[in-house]
Amino acid sequence: MRFLLMVKGNEVSEAGGKPDEAIFEAMSKYHEELEKAGALLDATGLQPTSKGARVRYSRGRPTWIDGPFPESKEIVAGYTLIQADSWREAKDWAMRFPAPFGQSDGEIEIRELFLYEPEDFV
């Protein structure tokens, strides 16, 4: 089973600054532990929405929208993609995730990925 651990953005991540040294070290150690356990598939931080864009669809037609997105309350600032044998194992990894913004409030959302084979669409 694959799970996406999403670091929710906030004013700190939207400001575009780099994490302080202690947070960076804690994240590096956490990802090294995931890698040693064979659970790490991918991980990275994302640039703030001021450097991004969205494609919004209305009646099936796309519209390009440049960032930033100040009205957004559910911005993703980074992610870690893991492989786990169960939701319980994924939860254990998520609970070990270092506080992404140190002493500032933060949130991690965890979601299981849909994994389909080509024959599932026939």
Side-chain angles (χ1 to χ4, degrees):
M1 302 167 77
R2 292 182 182 175
F3 295 88
L4 185 63
L5 285 63
M6 294 174 277
V7 176
K8 296 300 188 88
N10 62 15
E11 63 281 348
V12 175
S13 63
E14 282 297 286
K18 294 181 180 178
D20 70 34
E21 191 69 27
I23 294 171
F24 187 77
E25 286 178 21
M27 288 291 182
S28 294
K29 182 178 177 188
Y30 172 75
H31 287 107
E32 286 173 14
E33 291 173 13
L34 278 167
E35 189 170 24
K36 285 179 187 174
L40 181 64
L41 298 175
D42 192 25
T44 195
L46 300 173
Q47 294 283 346
T49 63
S50 62
K51 296 183 178 182
R54 290 181 176 167
V55 176
R56 181 171 290 142
Y57 291 87
S58 178
R59 296 184 175 156
R61 293 181 168 222
T63 302
W64 183 268
I65 303 165
D66 289 318
F69 309 115
E71 76 282 357
S72 294
K73 295 180 182 171
E74 299 296 324
I75 294 169
V76 177
Y79 69 90
T80 299
L81 182 61
I82 65 169
Q83 179 78 37
D85 291 330
S86 66
W87 257 101
R88 180 179 232 20
E89 181 183 351
K91 177 185 174 185
D92 289 345
W93 280 115
M95 293 299 292
R96 292 172 59 187
F97 202 104
F101 303 106
Q103 296 301 309
S104 297
D105 291 347
E107 184 175 333
I108 305 292
E109 180 177 333
I110 180 170
R111 306 266 299 273
E112 184 177 356
L113 275 64
F114 282 118
L115 294 177
Y116 293 114
E117 298 297 328
E119 57 269 13
D120 293 331
F121 295 99
V122 178

